[in-house]
Amino acid sequence: MSDQKVIVVMKGDQTGQELLDEALRVLDPNVIGLDLEFQEFDLSLENRRATNNQVVHDAAKAMKRTGYGIKAATVTPEIKGDVGSPNAILRREIDGKVIIRTGRRIPGVRPVAGTYSPISVIRMAVGDAYGAKEWREGSGLDEVACRTETIDRKTCRAVAEFAFMHAKKTKAKVFGGPKYTVSPVYEGMLKEEMDEAAKRYPGVRYEPQLIDATYALLLNNSGDPMVIPALNRDGDCLSDLVLQMFGTIAGSESILMSFNDNFEPDIVMAEAPHGTAPSLFGKNLANPMAMILAGAAMLTYMDDPRATNASRAIYEATIETVKEGIRTSDLGGSATTTEFTNEVIRKVQTKIEVWKTLTGF
């Protein structure tokens, strides 16, 4: 295997692209000392329309070859018959099963309800309410809206397995779950897989809860790190809540993963959990934390100790930058996007140089 890792870079729209540029500055080989190659694909709305989404399919094929991708936020048009969301295509093409988002303490930012330990939401990436068949019958006040949702056991197993794997790695407990009492056949499928995974990981604490209780108990939790497996729709809502509980949705990365036959991560696509923030476009004010941490998270899945060191350096540098008061406006500071990234880069370079001096690696 070549030492050089190839990362598929998916360009986006508005502030999404600006923040991707900041993340790529941090991932520059001259900053992190890791030989990386970047293959760019323009997923802007303009180019998706021009290529009739072919560029999205091309990016997905490239990720299947390289195993790694980093994506900017993109605009999803609301016009029926337009190019739609590239995320849906990417998830389908790479057989993405799981999205993981982790809320964690941001120094100087007061979390909701005293929460301080990390909370990871392991969300089903496909199926459920997304892509469901929808139709209406009747008219007037007798009109009825219907939809048919589906989930599959392979995806449920991937969510449950990775949840327990991640909990074991982070010394967290697996918490929460679907509304299996009301929906034992549909939502019960995920609960069945959670229960079976718990048997395979006897050393991991397991505290299943119904989804409504999960929401309520989140606001009373202040101690244990938690991993929450969730259906697609539940996980979408939960992850936004969890990230905001720690101060900002821009404070954490979002990772989409596909798995091999042993349910080990096979393809990793990193992005920010937020959108394109058009009101901040061109103002150099947006918070680049999520995109910078997305790059760091992607590095952790590379089987290379240099990538592990670089990832740690980026995580530490980003959190330390906030702790020292260099913050964008959403965190109560006055730093520009560029100023924040500049400080992260300075700290990353210092850390890596010091570690090389001390360890020779």
Side-chain angles (χ1 to χ4, degrees), residues 241-302:
L241 171 68
V242 165
L243 297 189
Q244 198 62 52
M245 284 172 63
F246 287 89
T248 175
I249 197 172
S252 177
E253 69 282 1
S254 180
I255 302 293
L256 169 69
M257 284 181 287
S258 67
F259 298 86
N260 60 23
D261 291 340
N262 295 320
F263 292 97
E264 299 165 332
D266 186 38
I267 301 172
V268 176
M269 188 188 87
E271 59 185 329
H274 55 69
T276 59
S279 64
L280 297 176
F281 180 44
K283 297 180 180 179
N284 199 25
L285 295 176
N287 186 349
M289 274 186 70
M291 278 306 308
I292 291 173
L293 294 178
M298 179 181 58
L299 296 178
T300 64
Y301 293 94
M302 296 181 179

Side-chain angles (χ1 to χ4, degrees), residues 91-113:
R91 292 173 191 177
R92 182 175 64 250
E93 291 287 311
I94 70 170
D95 195 25
K97 296 296 186 187
V98 163
I99 297 171
I100 174 172
R101 295 175 179 173
T102 300
R104 58 179 72 88
R105 282 298 301 270
I106 302 172
V109 178
R110 186 176 180 178
V112 173

Side-chain angles (χ1 to χ4, degrees), residues 208-223:
Q209 299 284 349
L210 299 176
I211 184 62
D212 49 347
T214 301
Y215 275 105
L217 293 171
L218 272 177
L219 297 179
N220 292 329
N221 172 73
S222 60

Side-chain angles (χ1 to χ4, degrees), residues 20 30 143 152 203 263 271 277 316 323 327 356:
L20 174 62
N30 293 322
E143 186 177 18
D152 63 87
F263 292 97
E271 59 185 329
E316 289 186 3
K323 187 176 187 299
R327 304 170 186 163
K356 283 182 179 179

